[in-house]
Amino acid sequence: MPLPTELLQLLDALPEPRIVVDTAYRILAANAAYRREFGQDPSVIGQTCYQVSHHFDRPCDQCGESCPRQQAWESGCPSRVIHCHHTPRGEEFVEVELFPLRDAGGNTTLFVETMRFLGGKCLPTPVLGMVGRSPSFLQMLELLERAGPSNTPILLLGESGTGKELAAQALHQLSPRRDRPFVPVDCSGLPETLFESELFGHEKGAFTGATQRKTGLAEVADGGTLFLDEIGDLPLTQQVKLLRLLETGTYRRVGGVETLRSDFRLVAATHRDLRCMVEEGTFRRDLYYRISAFPVRLPPLRERREDLPLLVAHLLERLAPQRSVRLSAAAMSRLREHDFPGNVRELRNLLERALLLADGELIEPWHLTGFADSPSGGRAHTADDEIVPLAELERRYLHRALERLGGDKKALATRLGISERTLYRKLR
Ligand SMILES: Nc1ncnc2c1ncn2[C@@H]1O[C@H](COP(=O)(O)OP(=O)(O)OP(=O)(O)O)[C@@H](O)[C@H]1O
């Protein structure tokens, strides 16, 4: 179907790369900005958007990605997602927005797709300091992108080590407050009285040992972001004081009479189920509603195992920039078997230890020691009802045995009654 010339001219005048796709995902037009960014050779006209952007042979939603075309088609409303797209520069993070166009009968017949580059290749280079490209990671990133520039309080939910603090920093960076302070407060580490004086500050002589007036973190965060980490660990008596600060934006220093005001953006985080705590009466309902306007869940590593190679490359680069160390295929598959109850932090610690144990440039499975126990028993240990090929079972057993012997292959070969060479072969 030829598109009206006026529409093509309008698209050409717009600064961001845009294409027009039909209901069969076929690209009907590409504007001047698109042709500049993505090149014209070979022409994309007539190809499908999933072929061009993802090199898929099926629509994204059939390949585990969220498809904005599908969402816009179903809802009739614009739809926005973050994807990794192939570009002439390699794969890059792109925010994709689909705008459905209706015909005179009200049926959606075309979509205008707008692309905005977020910067950062879909390699180990972090976007907003965070590494990943799995669908669940990109969905989370998209929520941060949307919420970042606003003033809405954000509640980050996720297990320990999933990157909640990194996400809070990303929100700060995305906000107009980025040049003002980012102030983290750990609600779990402090005794009740100390929490209050940390958050609100105290006057000189307010209590024994208060020899100086102290500025509270709420005051430091004025104009910036206050990040309340592990908010679910805050005792009820402190919750009420925090609520007052959040509702009125005012507080008093401990021992002070003056009412002070602070204007901060609130980001809170917890690994706990706050709704459940509200039902149990251990977390105030009013505080919960105050902080949970926009919850964002950080996916645990076991739900995004496809991000492991990227994360490993990123962490190795950070931990040992002067060495070019990588993981053997067997070591990577050992990682894939693990559930990572400690998430990215556990992965980082494992790699840090492995770097000390490996002399060469290759990390082998026996250098990966100290896996945290998984509450569910994990996948590393073959469940009784799991049927796996014998060779795989043997390989898993040997890796675990080697771990227990601290990577001493000679000792393991002796204990097994086989030669070291045979052991080496079986471990591969
Ligand atoms: N997506 C990611 N990309 C790169 N590094 C990450 C990512 N997620 C987490 N990390 C790293 O993992 C470690 C733990 O992250 P962080 O402290 O943000 O987790 P957390 O959820 O706040 O943990 P906790 O709840 O225990 O405080 C940090 O070293 C962080 O840099």
Side-chain angles (χ1 to χ4, degrees):
M1 168 184 45
L3 296 175
T5 315
E6 293 85 342
L7 174 63
L8 297 177
Q9 281 180 356
L10 172 70
L11 289 174
D12 271 344
L14 296 171
E16 295 112 346
R18 286 171 206 245
I19 55 174
V20 179
V21 290
D22 66 10
T23 50
Y25 303 88
R26 212 156 286 285
I27 301 175
L28 303 181
N31 74 349
Y34 183 95
R35 296 195 299 273
R36 246 190 339 266
E37 291 280 352
F38 290 85
Q40 314 186 43
D41 203 20
S43 170
V44 295
I45 309 299
Q47 297 192 55
T48 58
C49 51
Y50 50 82
Q51 274 169 342
V52 171
S53 302
H54 297 277
H55 297 181
F56 289 160
D57 56 4
R58 283 165 298 147
C60 315
D61 56 328
Q62 292 171 30
C63 301
E65 307 254 354
S66 57
C67 173
R69 200 229 61 135
Q70 192 61 18
Q71 287 165 17
W73 168 255
E74 281 165 11
S75 66
C77 300
S79 166
R80 186 145 53 103
V81 297
I82 294 178
H83 271 177
C84 257
H85 273 189
H86 284 275
T87 76
R89 298 167 294 281
E91 279 191 288
E92 289 185 354
F93 285 107
V94 184
E95 185 186 78
V96 184
E97 185 165 13
L98 258 275
F99 191 90
L101 298 180
R102 295 200 183 91
D103 64 11
N107 302 311
T108 300
T109 50
L110 297 173
F111 303 86
V112 177
E113 178 171 332
T114 306
M115 283 153 253
R116 292 184 194 95
F117 293 95
L118 297 179
K121 305 244 182 266
C122 307
L123 294 171
T125 324
V127 166
L128 299 168
M130 305 177 85
V131 172
R133 55 165 300 170
S134 57
S136 59
F137 176 82
L138 292 184
Q139 275 161 26
M140 182 274 299
L141 207 61
E142 190 194 318
L143 291 178
L144 297 184
E145 269 265 325
R146 277 175 189 268
S150 77
N151 225 8
T152 308
I154 309 293
L155 179 60
L156 301 169
L157 301 165
E159 294 172 12
S160 179
T162 44
K164 297 189 291 297
E165 175 143 9
L166 274 189
Q169 282 166 353
L171 285 166
H172 179 66
Q173 285 309 320
L174 287 166
S175 78
R177 297 167 178 267
R178 71 181 70 87
D179 296 326
R180 304 296 309 242
F182 171 81
V183 183
V185 184
D186 185 356
C187 301
S188 66
L190 299 170
E192 289 190 28
T193 44
L194 208 54
F195 173 78
E196 214 178 321
S197 93
E198 279 291 310
L199 191 60
F200 303 131
H202 60 69
E203 295 293 343
K204 185 175 172 183
F207 46 82
T208 327
T211 50
Q212 304 272 2
R213 171 192 270 186
K214 182 174 164 193
T215 307
L217 295 175
E219 190 170 344
V220 178
D222 190 25
T225 302
L226 186 69
F227 172 48
L228 297 177
D229 200 4
E230 294 308 347
I231 196 165
D233 292 358
L234 205 60
L236 279 165
T237 46
Q238 303 304 303
Q239 289 176 24
V240 67
K241 291 183 176 147
L242 178 63
L243 181 67
R244 197 175 314 130
L245 169 70
L246 301 183
E247 294 212 306
T248 62
T250 63
Y251 61 97
R252 269 189 234 138
R253 292 198 188 101
V254 177
V257 288
E258 193 188 353
T259 299
L260 302 166
R261 185 168 287 281
S262 180
D263 163 40
F264 53 80
R265 198 265 180 94
L266 177 76
V267 178
T270 183
H271 69 282
R272 291 176 186 270
D273 183 343
L274 290 186
R275 260 188 300 198
C276 192
M277 290 179 69
V278 169
E279 293 314 316
E280 284 168 357
T282 48
F283 200 82
R284 290 183 66 106
R285 192 177 294 274
D286 41 13
L287 180 58
Y288 175 69
Y289 287 127
R290 189 86 216 166
I291 62 171
S292 62
F294 196 89
V296 178
R297 177 177 176 269
L298 280 95
L301 196 44
R302 65 182 170 282
E303 281 180 21
R304 55 182 194 108
R305 287 179 209 273
E306 61 268 51
D307 285 340
L308 271 170
L310 281 186
L311 278 165
V312 165
H314 168 74
L315 293 169
L316 286 177
E317 172 60 33
R318 293 234 339 242
L319 291 166
Q322 68 290 9
R323 286 169 71 182
S324 46
V325 186
R326 57 200 171 78
L327 255 67
S328 71
M332 188 58 85
S333 76
R334 174 70 184 93
L335 289 186
R336 283 188 211 277
E337 285 165 11
H338 185 53
D339 270 351
F340 286 100
N343 293 293
V344 185
R345 182 178 295 111
E346 184 188 345
L347 176 64
R348 193 198 57 196
N349 293 346
L350 273 172
L351 294 176
E352 203 165 2
R353 272 194 300 274
L355 281 167
L356 294 176
L357 294 174
D359 293 319
E361 293 189 343
L362 208 55
I363 292 179
E364 295 287 2
W366 48 91
H367 298 132
L368 297 168
T369 57
F371 284 90
D373 281 340
S374 171
S376 59
R379 294 206 314 170
H381 302 269
T382 314
D384 287 345
D385 55 358
E386 188 189 357
I387 297 177
V388 292
L390 267 182
E392 171 64 13
L393 196 64
E394 181 182 70
R395 198 183 59 79
R396 288 190 197 179
Y397 170 75
L398 291 176
H399 282 304
R400 278 210 304 282
L402 196 58
E403 251 171 68
R404 284 185 42 194
L405 293 180
D408 188 341
K409 284 188 245 75
K410 195 166 179 196
L412 180 61
T414 311
R415 296 269 293 268
L416 294 170
I418 57 175
S419 72
E420 251 187 277
R421 269 183 61 192
T422 307
L423 175 61
Y424 227 102
R425 190 170 40 76
K426 285 175 181 292
L427 282 167
R428 295 224 167 265

